[in-house]
Amino acid sequence: MQTLLAVRLGIDMLIGLAFWGQMRRYPSIGGPGWWALSAVAAIVGSLGMLMRGFGPEVFTVAVANSMFTVGGLLAWMGLRSYLNFSRPTSRVVVASVAVVAAQLLFLQVWDLPPVRQLIFVLTTVAIMVLALRDMVRADPQRQVPELQALKLLTGVEATVLVGFAAAVPLGGISLEVAAPVTLFFFVLARLLRVMLYGTLLSHRLRQEGDRARQGLQAREANSRALIDNLSAGVMVFRPDHTLSSINSAARCFLGWSEGGANSALPEPTMAAWNMLREDGQPMRRHEMPFERVLATGLPVRSVIVGVPVMQAGEVRWALCNAYPELTSQGALRHVVVTFIDITSLREVQAQQKRLQAQLAQSQKMEALGTLAGGVAHDFNNILAAILGNADLARQDLAPDASSRESLHEISTAARRGRELVRQILAFSRQQPAERTPVRVGDIATESCTLLRAALPSQVQLLLECQPDTPLILADATQMGQVLINLGTNAVHAMHGRPGRVSYLVDRVAHDDPRLPREVAQACAQVGADAARVRVQDTGCGMAEDVLQRIFEPFFTTKSSGQGTGLGLAVVLGIVQMHGGDIDVSSQPGQGTTFTLYFPGASPSATASADAFTMVATTPAHGETLSTETIPMAEDAAHILYLDDDDTLVFLVRRLLERRGYRVTAFTDQRQAIEAVRADPQGFHLLLTDYNMPGMSGLDVARAVLELSPALPVAVASGYITDELQAEARAAGVREVVFKTDAVEAFCEIVARLIRPA
């Protein structure tokens, strides 16, 4: 018996140490700590039994027996902790105290060994029953073999213990014979129980490992799904340049198929890639992000890389980052390359640069146009005076006078100057326009008719007009000027060699991507398509440096005396004034194509002309004013003429007086108003300049119409805008005359405005 107790004591010590170590190693698993305490209680009980006969009975009997029961309670608490059940610690403490008290009671008060043995058996069996119940609850489907074996062992122990308790009083077996056998059985059972506890720990570790692996797999799957659904591209390379993984965004960026690559597909290797730097030049190998990470082991950030994709030579741009992925030992495992597609951003930046260049060009053109318009206004007055006085002088000469030829040359030179002024005004967009719905095909047909008369025989002229070309709101005269200018330039580009000039007129849908944005917006607003005019030639073409400057005013490639350099500047001004756009493509030796886009007229637009018209009549090159002098009658119409330029005052007075009108002319606005105030009914027409220092022509018109409301008023100006027309109409002005040709047209205007009176 002593030997068995000593063996059990040693086993319990080993069990306590083992479970204490398990508790320290796996603190998240419940049970080992309680089982270690259970071993400590068993050690105390075994020591008490070993000391029987020479130790105090309180310790050797009452405490020893109680410790075996308390050890069972602690083992049950460990089982509940392992099964993640609640632990009734307070009840266990109360039960332990009650067992010790009962053992002391039946030892010190009533010395009844059978009662003490019965208390031990009943409490131990009760604990085993509780443990069986918990194991049934924890594994109702009997899927855990370790719990089933522990449950079987517990049942066998309970049965043996009850049999032992019944064999001594009922079977007549002495306690000295039964006790060693029973103790030996429970030592073996305890060893088996400890082994089962160990297998339970292994089972729990396997469960946690499985859960950890499942969690890791789930996180990896989530990470893969996240990376695969990122809008940024992710590519993982091995150090040998082979591709480990790639997400959908990277495949889409590179134009690769979605399912054509496996995890180790080198498509293509880094060495085969033709990467581009930000400036569009090929990137050297040591500059590539992947190679830089391999060489330095450091991350690479914010590198702009261009990658040619597909067969069409398209280049896509990306903002690229790369970083090394290391093993736990610090070795390079992978190089991770991430990038964001910035192709659209690059296109927007390029478009912004183009728009900035266009804005700068537009501002330069506007400044030049303002300057040119101001110069042309003053220069036009000078030319008008020269032309008018030359014609008057010609009228005063005899038909055979030799000076008539000189006057004719003066008039010819002045008309050439006036034509230059007209081009300058058209370039500065200060030329009046009467925009009505017109057919571009009709204007192209008329322009080709005029151009064909001056066309060399070796140049072929072609015209193709689509019948469904939409109407546009345009000034037919200015549109004809555009087409003739382009056709003339095309003929000059032949340099006398055989060739072909083609006019192609057709429709472009309002949502066609080739349509310039401003024209597309204008078409969308009126609900119409656009008209396109292409003027093509097979001439010498233009180099890139010339192509960049063709719309600059006074820039020309022609020799001195053959061109003013205003033709294409005027074309650009007229096209933009009509809300259109122009595109030019040319290659040296391959000809040039000018493409003009105009927004179509709205369906509700009408062809009715505005009642408030503008006159711009130009005599033929050799035509002069009528030389007929009409005698002034007593009842001749009295005209009041006002201009701050005394040269024009002298000229207009002579012109009108020779037509039989009475003319009162002033250079001062106040004097003209006072003349009307003095005789409100004495004048039949007021003809005034608009741009004068102090009071403008409209201010004079308002003052005069307050004095004589029925007096017809005409205003002449070299700057006619929609605002001026509206303001003149509101002031009661009958007509606004374009001053470029006003001097030669004054007689006709006077006749038309006075006739109703």
Side-chain angles (χ1 to χ4, degrees), residues 24 35 51 56 76 107 113 245 255 281 291 356 368 413 420 514 532 638 685:
R24 297 291 300 274
W35 294 331
M51 294 173 63
W76 172 61
L107 176 65
S245 63
Q281 297 299 317
E291 298 291 349
Q356 289 175 345
L368 287 174
L420 179 60
R514 295 171 297 177
R532 178 175 61 180
H638 192 184
L685 173 67

Side-chain angles (χ1 to χ4, degrees), residues 199-485:
T199 58
L200 285 176
L201 288 175
S202 300
H203 173 71
R204 178 59 56 84
L205 290 175
R206 288 197 304 272
Q207 284 183 326
E208 292 188 353
D210 292 340
R211 283 195 293 269
R213 281 191 295 272
Q214 291 174 358
L216 180 60
Q217 291 172 355
R219 287 193 295 271
E220 289 179 350
N222 292 336
S223 299
R224 285 194 299 269
L226 177 63
I227 292 174
D228 199 53
N229 289 288
L230 282 176
S231 58
V234 179
M235 304 177 71
V236 181
F237 288 92
R238 298 184 182 87
D240 61 355
H241 295 74
T242 57
L243 185 62
S244 174
S245 63
I246 179 172
N247 70 343
S248 297
R251 288 188 171 280
C252 181
F253 178 83
L254 297 171
W256 295 352
S257 62
E258 286 296 327
N262 54 46
S263 59
L265 181 66
E267 53 165 322
T269 61
M270 292 294 294
W273 284 11
N274 181 24
M275 288 182 161
L276 304 178
R277 296 199 302 259
E278 188 174 359
D279 58 2
Q281 297 299 317
M283 183 177 288
R284 298 178 181 177
R285 182 169 180 175
H286 69 274
E287 296 175 329
M288 296 181 182
F290 176 86
E291 298 291 349
R292 288 171 60 181
V293 172
L294 282 183
T296 64
L298 300 175
V300 176
R301 305 188 184 280
S302 302
V303 178
I304 296 179
V305 176
V307 181
V309 297
M310 303 182 186
Q311 301 295 329
E314 177 188 358
V315 177
R316 294 182 181 173
W317 295 91
L319 183 64
C320 184
N321 296 285
Y323 64 90
E325 180 185 337
L326 306 178
T327 63
S328 58
Q329 291 78 24
L332 181 64
R333 175 187 295 155
H334 294 119
V335 175
V336 181
V337 179
T338 64
F339 56 87
I340 300 174
D341 188 354
I342 60 170
T343 304
S344 300
L345 178 61
R346 294 270 298 189
E347 293 175 353
V348 170
Q349 290 175 341
Q351 177 67 16
Q352 183 180 10
K353 290 181 180 179
R354 289 193 295 269
L355 291 177
Q356 289 175 345
Q358 292 177 2
L359 177 61
Q361 180 70 8
S362 176
Q363 291 173 340
K364 181 173 68 174
M365 290 295 188
E366 183 178 358
L368 287 174
T370 302
L371 175 63
V375 172
H377 175 265
D378 295 335
F379 192 54
N380 177 69
N381 288 346
I382 298 172
L383 292 176
I386 294 174
L387 281 170
N389 283 288
D391 285 337
L392 289 175
R394 190 182 299 110
Q395 295 175 25
D396 294 337
L397 292 175
D400 57 347
S402 59
S403 58
R404 291 181 67 89
E405 184 176 355
S406 298
L407 291 173
H408 177 72
E409 292 300 323
I410 291 174
S411 297
T412 300
R415 287 192 179 92
R416 290 177 57 189
R418 185 179 60 184
E419 184 62 28
L420 179 60
V421 170
R422 183 177 290 118
Q423 290 185 349
I424 293 175
L425 290 175
F427 158 70
S428 62
R429 304 186 193 178
Q430 293 167 355
Q431 188 174 358
E434 183 178 0
R435 297 177 64 179
T436 58
V438 298
R439 297 186 182 278
V440 186
D442 296 343
I443 299 175
T445 301
E446 182 179 354
S447 300
C448 287
T449 302
L450 296 175
L451 189 62
R452 187 172 284 109
L455 205 64
S457 59
Q458 68 271 22
V459 177
Q460 184 182 8
L461 182 62
L462 301 178
L463 172 63
E464 181 179 346
C465 299
Q466 298 294 332
D468 60 344
T469 304
L471 300 176
I472 66 171
L473 282 176
D475 183 291
T477 302
Q478 292 184 356
M479 289 299 300
Q481 182 181 359
V482 167
L483 298 183
I484 289 178
N485 279 3

